[in-house]
Amino acid sequence: MSDALICTACATPHPPSERFCPDCGLPLVHSPEVAAAAPAPTSAQQRARKIQARYAEGPLVRVAAARHQSEAELIQGMLLEEGIPSLTRRSGGFDVPDFLAAGPRDILVPQSGALAARDALGTTAPPALLPRRPAAPWVRALAAALAGLLIAIVAAGLITAVWP
């Protein structure tokens, strides 16, 4: 393919009709042969920020966390302005149907763009996962009492069902 697009993470060639790698999900870039033979960009093309291939190599790493989908999209837009490709995924452990915009998201970038992404976002290290706080003693006592009540109700129902 003379006008092939390639995935910088897995180096798989793709036809020009595709925009993202079906295996990795990363945006595709022009192969080096096509980029070398391309005509000089216009001034409008120079002003437009594009994904830079140097930031699109390696495995995906977590560089930021967002509280919900719209915040994640804002962060992705900031990274795109710097030429850094990114993906969002729902943070693990948050049980909400996928069609809802609620819930925390992880922002992932290729490893070669992680330092630039953290610099663009003003962070110095990968975001720590939020620690789980232990429940207050009164919450644990209430949960134990409700569990005991539920067990008593079920046991009473079983007893009356077996011995009418």
Side-chain angles (χ1 to χ4, degrees):
M1 284 181 206
S2 63
D3 54 347
L5 296 173
I6 60 169
C7 174
T8 54
C10 62
T12 307
H14 297 279
S17 59
E18 294 186 23
R19 294 292 174 245
F20 297 93
C21 179
D23 299 325
C24 315
L26 287 177
L28 301 174
V29 297
H30 288 285
S31 64
E33 305 88 47
V34 173
T42 65
S43 62
Q45 289 172 328
Q46 288 175 343
R47 285 192 310 266
R49 299 233 181 211
K50 302 288 182 191
I51 292 175
Q52 298 178 19
R54 66 182 176 177
Y55 294 143
E57 298 173 2
L60 296 175
V61 295
R62 185 172 178 257
V63 295
R67 291 175 292 206
H68 43 75
Q69 183 175 346
S70 57
E71 187 176 79
E73 290 172 358
L74 173 69
I75 293 170
Q76 278 192 293
M78 292 169 59
L79 293 174
L80 185 60
E81 286 295 315
E82 298 297 323
I84 305 166
S86 62
L87 296 169
T88 61
R89 73 170 178 208
R90 186 176 298 279
S91 297
F94 195 79
D95 192 18
V96 170
D98 284 336
F99 63 87
L100 296 177
R105 314 283 184 188
D106 293 329
I107 312 300
L108 308 170
V109 301
Q111 191 170 25
S112 63
L115 188 60
R118 289 186 187 115
D119 186 44
L121 297 173
T123 60
T124 56
L129 297 174
L130 295 175
R132 269 191 98 143
R133 293 186 326 195
W138 69 269
V139 173
R140 283 184 265 149
L142 179 63
L146 289 175
L149 180 63
L150 180 62
I151 290 171
I153 291 172
V154 170
L158 290 177
I159 291 172
T160 58
V162 173
W163 291 301

